[in-house]
Amino acid sequence: MARRALKLASWTGMALAASGFFLYSNKYLDPNDFGAVRVGRAVATTAVISYDYLTSLRSVPYGSEEYLQLLSKIHDLFMSFDDTPLGAASVAQVHKAVLHDGRTVAVKVQHPKVQAQSSKDILLMEVLVLAVKQLFPEFEFMWLVDEAKKNLPLELDFLNEGRNAERVAQMLKHIDFLKVPRIYWELSTKRVLLMEFVDGGQVNDRDYMEKNKIDVNEISRHLGKIYSEMIFVNGFVHCDPHPGNVLVRKHPGTGRAEIVLLDHGLYQVLTEEFRLDYCHLWQSLIWTDMERVKKYSQRLGAGDLYPLFACMLTARSWDSVNRGISQAPVTATEDSEIRNNAANYLPEISQLLNHVPRQMLLIFKTNDLLRGIEAALGTRASASSFLNMSRCCIRALATHKKKSTCSSFRRAQISFSEAFDLWQINLHELILRVKGLKLASWILAFLCWLLPTPY
């Protein structure tokens, strides 16, 4: 029960971190750091796998060929199975195994009694949230309970996770630097998921990248592009990109850097209206169109708190938003100012989170986790990441406009406008690179002038 309470605390921490105020000081609580939680997990793993495969036998005639085939799966499924989990969380743990046909697989096994315990967890959460409401009437966290009731059953259904993995792999198949492990359906159940085993380092592990000669800036750009495609273009968003779920590696064949996306249990499906308003809002933030920032923030439920809403989305101060978030990177002074002033805005943050569309809540969480990765890599808020976002927004809005017209001439106009806007972004990016190269050459020349000439 203590572990469940800790999980609730981490959810509440997410709500605050999503504001952008606790973004870089927040230390994520991992309930699995407590040794007692792990007791019995390794022992129970084989039992859980066997139980799930045995339940398949109930609908098969006793003694039939199919019955015997399923029974043999239980006893002879793995050539080897590593009892030590590769990773463990509050819902499941993952083991490495080898099938008899030589395939190396990752086996995700749900902990025993999680299904039965989940309703008690939600009840505990609801009681605690109501208690907080009584003590602090200005804080509204009932949305936490609503989100848990909606999302927890989906996360506990591993077949749903497999379907999400296949959907996102198909959706982003044009992105050659993304790897989504293949699902082995014939060996998966609602509580056991078998997938292709893919090795790699965590996305925030700079030492791993340096050792394997992987460009940190390239990985940051790739990750931004993947999530921009999900959010702005497709409206189907992986909402748990913490470092354990995002790996990096060099492709075994090409040697190119590749991102491996794991754990597809939690996705947010954006409505078209929300997605398009969100596109317009980010375009307005990137190009510093403050009237449209106000307009689209209010369309997304921010009301008069739209300045706070913009700060929460960008993790920047209101002064920086007004100057242009793509004009200058965040400074240590700005970061410190945001953290120090956070407590003053907690009632307003609570009010805002209670009024924005529920789709926005997981987007806040996703943004927070992605910025945490950028902070760990030292690539936070680069101009190129904003330009990639803008490209996806332009494509998404143009696609919507073309679908909304029957005129071939109008579609041609929209395509021309889209091409022109993308060309402007490419030109702007080229100018930024040239400026960067000039600055680098000036610094090099200055250093050469300072250093004595060797004899």
Side-chain angles (χ1 to χ4, degrees):
M1 187 64 76
R3 177 167 62 85
R4 307 295 175 178
L6 285 169
K7 189 173 183 182
L8 171 62
S10 70
W11 266 92
T12 308
M14 178 276 290
L16 298 177
S19 68
F21 294 130
F22 293 166
L23 200 55
Y24 304 105
S25 60
N26 181 51
K27 301 297 181 185
Y28 291 98
L29 179 62
D30 182 4
N32 298 287
D33 288 340
F34 298 91
V37 175
R38 298 197 193 92
V39 174
R41 282 185 177 172
V43 177
T45 297
T46 304
V48 171
I49 294 172
S50 298
Y51 173 80
D52 270 63
Y53 286 119
L54 276 169
T55 55
S56 300
L57 297 174
R58 293 177 182 171
S59 59
V60 179
Y62 177 81
S64 67
E65 183 178 351
E66 186 179 0
Y67 180 95
L68 295 174
Q69 288 175 349
L70 285 170
L71 190 62
S72 67
K73 280 185 181 180
I74 298 168
H75 300 296
D76 304 319
L77 187 58
F78 302 110
M79 181 186 297
S80 65
F81 189 95
D82 193 344
D83 290 336
T84 304
L86 297 170
S90 58
V91 170
Q93 63 193 49
V94 179
H95 295 258
K96 184 179 180 180
V98 179
L99 300 176
H100 284 282
D101 60 9
R103 288 178 293 176
T104 303
V105 296
V107 186
K108 183 173 181 178
V109 187
Q110 194 171 114
H111 299 316
K113 299 184 180 179
V114 166
Q115 291 275 0
Q117 185 66 34
S118 61
S119 58
K120 298 175 185 177
D121 296 342
I122 293 173
L123 179 60
L124 172 62
M125 181 184 292
E126 191 163 6
V127 169
L128 291 175
V129 167
L130 290 172
V132 170
K133 176 67 176 173
Q134 291 297 316
L135 293 171
F136 307 101
E138 67 273 24
F139 291 106
E140 291 282 353
F141 287 114
M142 203 61 200
W143 55 268
L144 276 172
V145 179
D146 296 336
E147 287 300 295
K149 286 179 179 178
K150 182 183 76 173
N151 293 318
L152 190 55
L154 295 174
E155 290 189 78
L156 295 179
D157 182 356
F158 288 176
L159 296 179
N160 176 68
E161 178 176 342
R163 289 190 292 269
N164 286 341
E166 288 198 340
R167 178 175 173 180
V168 80
Q170 177 65 23
M171 185 177 83
L172 301 180
K173 63 182 179 181
H174 61 285
I175 298 180
D176 59 2
F177 50 78
L178 172 64
K179 172 68 176 177
V180 177
R182 177 186 170 192
I183 304 297
Y184 297 124
W185 289 110
E186 69 276 14
L187 301 172
S188 297
T189 74
K190 289 188 73 171
R191 298 201 304 156
V192 179
L193 187 67
L194 263 72
M195 68 201 91
E196 174 186 6
F197 177 80
V198 183
D199 205 0
Q202 292 194 358
V203 72
N204 63 345
D205 189 343
R206 289 182 65 99
D207 292 339
Y208 174 88
M209 293 191 214
E210 289 173 7
K211 181 180 177 181
N212 289 274
K213 296 181 172 57
I214 297 174
D215 186 348
V216 170
N217 292 301
E218 182 183 22
I219 290 298
S220 184
R221 287 194 302 271
H222 284 351
L223 190 60
K225 183 174 181 181
I226 289 168
Y227 270 85
S228 291
E229 289 276 342
M230 287 185 191
I231 294 170
F232 300 116
V233 178
N234 296 284
F236 186 65
V237 189
H238 181 289
C239 288
D240 201 14
H242 70 72
N245 289 340
V246 185
L247 306 182
V248 295
R249 67 168 189 170
K250 281 199 168 180
H251 188 281
T254 64
R256 296 176 61 185
E258 191 174 56
I259 289 176
V260 182
L261 196 58
L262 306 175
D263 196 345
H264 300 271
L266 185 59
Y267 270 74
Q268 180 65 67
V269 179
L270 307 180
T271 65
E272 185 164 285
E273 180 183 8
F274 178 95
R275 181 175 61 85
L276 296 173
D277 283 343
Y278 197 61
C279 283
H280 281 298
L281 176 57
W282 267 105
Q283 281 287 77
S284 305
L285 287 165
I286 291 168
W287 301 110
T288 326
D289 186 339
M290 300 312 295
E291 283 300 315
R292 288 167 65 85
V293 167
K294 178 179 179 180
K295 173 184 175 181
Y296 287 103
S297 294
Q298 291 180 336
R299 281 178 62 94
L300 289 167
D304 292 335
L305 294 175
Y306 72 89
L308 176 61
F309 184 65
C311 294
M312 290 168 67
L313 277 179
T314 59
R316 302 295 297 271
S317 69
W318 182 238
D319 285 342
S320 293
V321 172
N322 276 280
R323 287 197 305 268
I325 55 174
S326 61
Q327 299 304 310
V330 66
T331 63
T333 303
E334 181 184 357
D335 224 4
S336 177
E337 177 189 345
I338 289 172
R339 287 199 302 271
N340 293 337
N341 291 331
N344 298 330
Y345 295 97
L346 290 182
E348 289 82 3
I349 293 168
S350 171
Q351 180 185 343
L352 188 56
L353 292 175
N354 198 47
H355 285 90
V356 295
R358 290 293 161 260
Q359 300 164 79
M360 182 59 72
L361 299 175
L362 285 177
I363 294 294
F364 273 137
K365 177 192 175 188
T366 303
N367 285 348
D368 175 52
L369 291 171
L370 290 172
R371 291 196 186 102
I373 291 171
E374 286 181 344
L377 296 180
T379 59
R380 182 183 168 195
S382 65
S384 64
S385 67
F386 289 123
L387 293 175
N388 281 329
M389 289 173 68
S390 189
R391 286 187 181 97
C392 286
C393 290
I394 288 168
R395 285 171 44 218
L397 293 170
T399 299
H400 173 70
K401 289 176 184 176
K402 281 186 260 189
K403 285 181 180 177
S404 303
T405 182
C406 296
S407 168
S408 298
F409 177 73
R410 178 62 185 144
R411 281 197 292 269
Q413 279 185 315
I414 294 167
S415 295
F416 177 79
S417 178
E418 176 188 7
F420 181 73
D421 289 343
L422 292 173
W423 176 81
Q424 282 185 307
I425 290 176
N426 292 337
L427 180 61
H428 183 62
E429 188 171 39
L430 179 62
I431 291 169
L432 289 176
R433 286 181 180 176
V434 169
K435 284 182 178 178
L437 288 172
K438 281 185 177 179
L439 179 61
S441 63
W442 290 340
I443 292 172
L444 182 60
F446 180 68
L447 289 174
C448 290
W449 179 75
L450 285 177
L451 293 172
T453 304
Y455 293 100

